[in-house]
Amino acid sequence: MLDIQNRLNEFTEMHDEFIRDWELAMSSGDTSSVQRMSDDYYVTFFNNDNEKPFFFTRQEAIEGMEQSVKHFYRANKRFANRVIRLRDNENAVVFYEQLIVQDENVLARLFTIENWKLINGKWMVIRETEEQIN
């Protein structure tokens, strides 16, 4: 049990750093520190209930992330209501509400689920699900 708690603490510290890296990316425009995706990473994006989801590969996601950071330059990305759960010692899931806020106006709101895996001693996102909240 202590090993799982230690791993959870280690993962939480890493994810806290990931959030700080997002803050830096949003203020600088440089997304390199948040590109922590595995080679086979993909993201599924749901716009609304009536549409089929969009799927993006790692490269497409990086390109979209760079465009998004440029579009929302100097806005704040907030990670609200975060919940972290370990599946086992090498797999974690993070749930949160993602808010893009500028001048106290909410520009975007998403439910996000990140699936992380410990690969060669480094935590990497292996897949992600995003759902727009209206």
Side-chain angles (χ1 to χ4, degrees), residues 66-119:
E66 290 170 347
Q67 290 171 3
S68 179
V69 166
K70 286 178 186 170
H71 179 74
F72 293 118
Y73 185 64
R74 300 259 185 221
N76 294 314
K77 184 171 187 172
R78 297 183 186 163
F79 297 73
N81 306 308
R82 181 178 69 163
V83 176
I84 297 173
R85 295 291 182 260
L86 293 182
R87 291 180 187 269
D88 54 38
N89 266 345
E90 296 182 354
N91 294 280
V93 180
V94 182
F95 307 85
Y96 57 87
E97 180 182 353
Q98 184 183 148
L99 301 159
I100 306 296
V101 181
Q102 190 166 38
D103 301 323
E104 297 307 314
N105 295 315
V106 176
L107 305 176
R109 193 169 159 230
L110 304 156
F111 285 131
T112 301
I113 303 171
E114 299 169 342
N115 288 268
W116 293 76
K117 184 171 182 64
L118 191 61
I119 301 172

Side-chain angles (χ1 to χ4, degrees), residues 46-52 131-132 134:
F46 294 86
N47 268 331
N48 64 47
D49 292 339
N50 300 329
E51 294 180 17
K52 290 184 180 182
E131 183 172 342
Q132 186 174 336
N134 297 327

Side-chain angles (χ1 to χ4, degrees), residues 1 6-7 12 16 20-22 32 38 40 47 58 60-62 81 91 97 100 102 107 111 119 125 129 134:
M1 183 67 176
N6 288 339
R7 184 62 64 147
T12 301
D16 289 345
R20 286 188 298 274
D21 286 346
W22 263 112
S32 60
S38 65
D40 57 350
N47 268 331
R58 181 183 193 279
E60 291 167 333
I62 288 172
N81 306 308
N91 294 280
E97 180 182 353
I100 306 296
Q102 190 166 38
L107 305 176
F111 285 131
I119 301 172
V125 183
T129 304
N134 297 327

